[in-house]
Amino acid sequence: MYRRSTPWRRTALSALGGLVTAVLVATAQPAAGAAPAPVGTADRDSMGRAFARASSEFGVPRDLLVAVGYGETHLDGHRGEPSQANGYGVMHLVSNPQSRTLEKAAELTGEPGAELREDTTANIRGGAAVLRSYADKLGLDATERRSVDEWYPVVARYGGATDTATARLYADTVYTLLGQGITADVAGGERVTVRPRAVEPERGRYAADAADTAGGRQRAALSPDYPPAAWVPANAANYAVGRSASISTVVVHVTQGSYAGTISWFQNASSQVSAHYVVRSSDGAITQMVRDSNTAYHARSANSSSLGIEHEGFIADPSWFTDAMYRSSAALTKYLCERYGIPKDRAHVVGHSEVPGNDHTDPGPNWNWNYYMQLVGGSSGGGGVQLNFASYSTLTSGSTGAQVTAAQTLLNQQGYDAGTADGIFGTRTANAVRSFQTARGLTADGAVGSRTWTALLAAGSTTVVREGSTGAVVERLQRALTAALGRTVSIDGQFGPGTATAVRDYQSGRGLTADGIVGAATWSALQAGR
């Protein structure tokens, strides 16, 4: 039987202070020493039954199992697609150089790797098996395993963090969920619930890191650049010291994983990725991981000139994007813009997907840009309709979002009836696009690609502008150049050296006189979508 070398101090979870111990009695029997046989296809269960069966099979408290899964993924397996840390399924079984819980689950359950990645029942079994194996190594006996509070060190290990404070952050999240209760609507119209309970976890060796906030101690070092944030440095292999360009952009990301998991991943030297800040979904808590003055590896071509903010969650699941997250992140972005002189508009506060040369889609269609920019206190451009973007994506039937609204607005302004500018690319919008394309001599395919964007954005007066010019006509030019060149041209209404360079590049590429002056010939080429 497992014996502790020193007594474990029972410490109440700070977020749930004052609660008393609660015990979850599992109906489970200890797992057999040999790997159980895989579950056959005919035996696959609903998610609720899968949790109950896995709990019984491996002797893991059912509610703890659900809370671990919910903390990782909100019980969404994401169709077998991997997280940023290469984790899979509801239980986030991981296969990366630092953590191999996926392979461990395969060994313990006999389930093939593909099943563990893609099948929810297999994935839950795998998570339960790994948790039980950790419990066995820690020496939890049958009586201890029946108490959910005894599993704290097991949960901390399951999170995969090598840093003690990060492991504790992961486990605290799970126990906070147990205290608050869980109600999750999952695939197939099923609802999985965990009733709120009093929790007083046995933290074991992690108790030494528990902060006594009443005594004035801090849980973590404070951010050196943003006072409300905690400071947990990323591994030095995952960022570069210093910058080769001035800070001019804030890039919004979605983690494709949990808050604690993302912090742990950025501490992993093999990840080769990082961001300056990470924001938690539940309460908007922020951790800084790379100094503003250093170059985080988060957005390829924009790394040297941008600050990256990661948001806990998954692109396809809007349940992660809470009001607390929006408000906390927007306050951070506002602070950064004001500190570094970054314009508070959508040409300078951009999504990862909008940075040229990137193949990511975050923050995705569920991110509420209008609300976010309202909280930042900046402008979305376009007289109330957002027209300014760092890049312009190809739009087709079925596309949604702010860029669709922009295209619809521009089409309507030019007399092509796209219907209500509602951000939904339907038949009426497609017909308007084809009419516009035909009038401009473009291929009438009904899709808004770079040439159609260029023509739409350039439409209007052809006033001659040159270096030193300012105003709305310069903004219109800068939008059109961004679309035509496929790179970000600062949309600030100021015709400076950067805009002049972009104009010459455009003129040279179209066989025009490269004088940097936008006269009739250059406007004509832009408005024809060249």
Side-chain angles (χ1 to χ4, degrees):
M1 181 182 296
Y2 177 69
R3 291 285 185 267
R4 306 180 180 97
S5 57
T6 58
W8 286 10
R9 180 167 61 90
R10 186 178 292 275
T11 55
L13 192 63
S14 62
L16 305 168
L19 298 179
V20 297
T21 305
V23 176
L24 175 68
V25 179
T27 60
Q29 298 299 317
V39 172
T41 303
D43 296 323
R44 299 305 185 190
D45 291 321
S46 68
M47 190 179 294
R49 180 168 290 188
F51 277 118
R53 281 194 172 189
S55 169
S56 178
E57 181 180 359
F58 293 101
V60 180
R62 179 264 183 193
D63 286 3
L64 182 88
L65 198 57
V66 174
V68 170
Y70 189 85
E72 288 279 16
T73 65
H74 282 196
L75 306 186
D76 185 343
H78 306 288
R79 301 170 301 281
E81 297 173 357
S83 71
Q84 180 173 235
N86 211 41
Y88 294 88
V90 166
M91 299 302 296
H92 198 247
L93 295 174
V94 178
S95 178
N96 66 49
Q98 177 178 298
S99 179
R100 295 197 173 275
T101 53
L102 180 71
E103 289 80 2
K104 183 67 173 177
E107 174 190 338
L108 292 168
T109 65
E111 296 277 6
E115 291 293 314
L116 289 165
R117 289 191 295 268
E118 299 173 8
D119 183 86
T120 296
T121 297
N123 188 267
I124 292 171
R125 284 190 77 229
V130 172
L131 285 164
R132 174 58 189 273
S133 73
Y134 292 166
D136 288 345
K137 287 183 180 179
L138 286 172
L140 267 65
D141 61 27
T143 299
E144 289 169 324
R145 290 197 304 272
R146 293 190 184 99
S147 171
V148 72
D149 291 321
E150 299 284 348
W151 286 79
Y152 186 97
V154 177
V155 173
R157 181 174 178 183
Y158 187 89
T162 55
D163 173 75
T164 301
T166 305
R168 188 177 184 280
L169 176 65
Y170 179 92
D172 280 353
T173 298
V174 171
Y175 278 82
T176 297
L177 290 168
L178 286 168
Q180 295 173 341
I182 298 168
T183 300
D185 293 321
V186 300
E190 183 185 0
R191 176 167 290 183
V192 176
T193 61
V194 170
R195 296 181 65 179
R197 69 176 63 241
V199 291
E200 197 172 334
E202 288 276 16
R203 288 198 173 92
R205 70 184 182 88
Y206 299 98
D209 286 338
D212 180 7
T213 54
R217 295 172 59 198
Q218 295 292 333
R219 285 187 168 213
L222 295 179
S223 159
D225 293 312
Y226 184 58
W231 167 247
V232 178
N235 190 284
N238 297 335
Y239 66 91
V241 175
R243 287 183 178 271
S244 60
S246 60
I247 298 170
S248 61
T249 309
V250 174
V251 180
V252 173
H253 300 266
V254 174
T255 61
Q256 294 297 94
S258 70
Y259 180 68
T262 298
I263 293 170
S264 177
W265 187 232
F266 291 167
Q267 292 176 308
N268 181 349
S270 66
S271 74
Q272 295 293 289
V273 294
S274 63
H276 294 89
Y277 299 90
V278 185
V279 186
R280 186 159 61 190
S281 169
S282 61
D283 58 3
I286 299 174
T287 293
Q288 182 178 13
M289 301 198 69
V290 177
R291 291 294 306 270
D292 292 355
S293 57
N294 292 332
T295 303
Y297 300 155
H298 65 105
R300 293 186 184 175
S301 63
N303 284 340
S304 62
S305 60
S306 66
L307 293 160
I309 305 177
E310 288 277 5
H311 298 82
E312 179 184 26
F314 290 81
I315 295 168
D317 185 353
S319 70
W320 292 92
F321 302 150
T322 63
D323 193 63
M325 172 182 278
Y326 277 122
R327 289 182 179 278
S328 178
S329 174
L332 169 61
T333 294
K334 180 178 181 180
Y335 174 89
L336 295 173
C337 287
E338 291 175 352
R339 182 176 184 181
Y340 297 108
I342 303 170
K344 299 173 192 171
D345 60 36
R346 285 286 284 113
H348 298 87
V349 181
V350 303
H352 192 180
S353 62
E354 298 170 319
V355 177
N358 283 274
D359 57 2
H360 289 247
T361 59
D362 56 315
N366 293 310
W367 183 261
N368 190 335
W369 276 111
N370 287 337
Y371 181 51
Y372 188 69
M373 294 305 297
Q374 176 187 339
L375 293 172
V376 170
S379 169
S380 61
V385 175
Q386 179 181 327
L387 299 178
N388 298 350
F389 298 90
S391 64
Y392 293 86
S393 303
T394 298
L395 308 177
T396 59
S397 292
S399 297
T400 60
Q403 293 202 13
V404 175
T405 301
Q408 291 168 325
T409 299
L410 293 168
L411 287 163
N412 287 334
Q413 288 175 352
Q414 294 301 309
Y416 299 91
D417 184 10
T420 303
D422 57 5
I424 301 172
F425 198 122
T427 301
R428 193 166 177 178
T429 300
N431 289 337
V433 171
R434 290 189 186 94
S435 296
F436 176 84
Q437 290 169 327
T438 298
R440 294 297 189 276
L442 301 168
T443 301
D445 60 2
V448 183
S450 61
R451 295 193 64 186
T452 302
W453 267 123
T454 301
L456 273 173
L457 293 163
S461 66
T462 56
T463 305
V464 175
V465 289
R466 65 189 73 206
E467 196 160 355
S469 298
T470 61
V473 65
V474 176
E475 278 196 59
R476 179 158 51 88
L477 168 67
Q478 291 166 332
R479 293 185 200 113
L481 289 170
T482 295
L485 295 173
R487 71 173 194 253
T488 302
V489 177
S490 181
I491 306 172
D492 56 8
Q494 307 290 320
F495 198 133
T499 300
T501 297
V503 169
R504 292 189 186 96
D505 288 347
Y506 176 82
Q507 290 170 327
S508 296
R510 274 68 180 176
L512 304 170
T513 301
D515 57 5
I517 300 171
V518 182
T522 302
W523 277 119
S524 178
L526 287 165
Q527 292 179 353
R530 291 179 55 191

